[in-house]
Amino acid sequence: MIPEHFPTQFILAGIGTEIGKTVVSSILVEALQADYWKPVQSGALEDSDTETVRQLISNTVSQFHPEAYRLTQPLSPHAAAEIDNVHIDLNSITLPITSNALIIELAGGLMVPLNDHELNIDLVQKLGLPIILVSRNYLGSINHTLLSVELCRNRNIPILGIIFNGPTVSSTEHFILNYTNIPCLGRIGQENQLTKDVIRNYANQFAELIRSR
């Protein structure tokens, strides 16, 4: 279960798309035996991120809460919603009721539009929860990570820490952590195959790291 002094509910935000938020979600859901919720799912409705997390975890405590919006096209939510003739209304997105810990995964990065006037960052503010930022090393990732951090700080959104997913680039990670003074909550290597055992092994590592905070 979630350790003392660590928030019982938080949001996983990525520095961009295809960063690995769902993998990180699976690991943290398993580590904390937390519930999982993705408010907006764009495309892959039969193989959604919710189903991916469900298939990768091993514990029997976690519950999976239904998405507020299930959009048929694998596009930015605002574009997918337009095709489906749906308007994403932030007022209709409310936190699931649960007595358990809750991990919330965003659809894309913080500045991804949900409708013509509102972004993921607006949803984060509405939900009023801290975030964990998922970063991945690639050319430009320093810029994307620092912009995400700056955006959250400008909006007074607490950042619990950064998780690096994928191949390690020590100079990049050192600069990001030193410049932002945000703790690293852990690293996930480049795995050839994701299985329950792989997720469980990382979950055990993350549980220890989080307990030490």
Side-chain angles (χ1 to χ4, degrees), residues 11-14 21 38-40 104-110 120 123-124:
I11 296 169
L12 276 182
K21 295 190 309 300
K38 185 162 188 177
V40 179
I104 301 161
E105 180 184 345
L106 293 182
L110 290 165
N120 266 336
L123 176 60
V124 173

Side-chain angles (χ1 to χ4, degrees), residues 97-168:
I97 298 173
T98 178
S99 59
N100 195 17
L102 177 65
I103 293 172
I104 301 161
E105 180 184 345
L106 293 182
L110 290 165
M111 295 297 282
V112 165
L114 297 175
N115 55 45
D116 288 342
H117 306 289
E118 294 170 306
L119 314 166
N120 266 336
I121 190 75
D122 297 306
L123 176 60
V124 173
Q125 283 195 294
K126 177 185 180 296
L127 296 176
L129 296 174
I131 73 163
I132 289 176
L133 189 63
V134 182
S135 185
R136 187 177 183 90
N137 293 310
Y138 56 83
L139 187 62
S141 66
I142 294 176
N143 181 53
H144 294 162
T145 305
L146 297 187
L147 284 172
S148 298
V149 170
E150 190 73 13
L151 175 65
C152 289
R153 286 176 169 168
N154 286 341
R155 300 267 194 131
N156 295 314
I157 296 170
I159 302 175
L160 299 174
I162 295 175
I163 293 175
F164 293 99
N165 179 48
T168 298

Side-chain angles (χ1 to χ4, degrees), residues 22 36 38 41 44 47-54 67 105:
T22 304
Y36 172 87
K38 185 162 188 177
Q41 173 72 39
D47 189 25
S48 66
D49 291 333
T50 299
E51 287 306 311
T52 298
V53 176
R54 193 197 308 269
E67 302 92 336
E105 180 184 345

